[in-house]
């Protein structure tokens, strides 16, 4: 298995950050067929496969705001207002995704991208571990 860690700057706002190109570069360097596992080792971030750039990323953030409002209801209450919701989000958007790789290329659907979803405005940077398991 080959593995690499990349740094992602999500900044001080809620964000859906596209990492598809970094994932493509990594699997190209590995070559062949296998599986790419994308893992965010953080308690307040997730990995999603979805269409980006068409408004879906904003729709996702709006849906998460409706499901997990940034208010004072959360028992996990350190950090910025509503921070506890960031700790609940990975139960809905897990911190990992696995994507098939065929001939050194991601086998994503036509409109699928790989994104880090981060509601935590207190952490500006995230690490993402990319692991390739060849067949």
């Amino acid at each position: 298995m080959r593995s690499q860690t990349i740094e992602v700057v999500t900044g001080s706002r809620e964000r859906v950050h596209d990492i598809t190109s970094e994932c493509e570069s990594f699997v190209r360097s590995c070559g062949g067929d296998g599986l790419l596992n994308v893992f965010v080792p953080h308690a307040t971030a997730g990995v999603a496969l979805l269409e980006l750039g068409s408004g879906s990323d904003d729709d996702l953030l709006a849906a998460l705001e409706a499901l997990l409002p940034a208010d004072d209801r959360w028992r996990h209450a350190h950090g910025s207002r509503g921070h506890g919701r960031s700790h609940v989000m990975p139960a809905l958007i897990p911190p990992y995704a696995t994507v098939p790789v065929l001939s050194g290329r991601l086998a994503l659907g036509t409109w699928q991208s790989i994104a880090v979803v981060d509601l935590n405005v207190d952490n500006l940077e995230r690490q993402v571990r990319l692991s390739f398991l060849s067949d």
Side-chain angles (χ1 to χ4, degrees):
M1 181 170 75
R2 290 188 56 193
S3 192
Q4 170 185 324
T5 300
I6 61 172
E7 300 290 327
V8 175
V9 177
T10 55
S12 59
R13 63 181 176 89
E14 296 176 0
R15 180 133 182 210
V16 178
H17 184 82
D18 189 356
I19 59 168
T20 309
S21 63
E22 291 94 331
C23 293
E24 287 173 338
S25 295
F26 175 67
V27 299
R28 255 193 318 274
S29 73
C30 296
D33 296 345
L35 295 172
L36 171 68
N37 183 263
V38 181
F39 176 67
V40 182
H42 300 282
T44 58
V47 177
L49 301 178
L50 74 159
E51 180 180 1
L52 297 173
S54 64
S56 297
D57 38 354
D58 291 331
D59 290 341
L60 175 59
L61 291 175
L64 290 171
E65 173 62 31
L67 288 170
L68 306 169
D71 58 21
D72 294 325
R73 73 181 69 202
W74 308 100
R75 291 184 182 140
H76 189 113
H78 73 84
S80 59
R81 185 171 191 257
H83 177 76
R85 76 190 194 118
S86 298
H87 287 275
V88 173
M89 188 204 65
L92 302 174
I93 299 175
Y96 58 86
T98 301
V99 179
V101 176
L102 302 172
S103 300
R105 297 179 54 103
L106 296 171
L108 292 169
T110 301
W111 303 110
Q112 284 181 314
S113 296
I114 304 170
V116 173
V117 180
D118 190 358
L119 300 182
N120 186 349
V121 298
D122 298 326
N123 289 352
L124 306 181
E125 297 178 1
R126 298 299 187 164
Q127 292 183 342
V128 181
R129 173 152 308 276
L130 306 177
S131 299
F132 179 73
L133 181 62
S134 62
D135 65 347

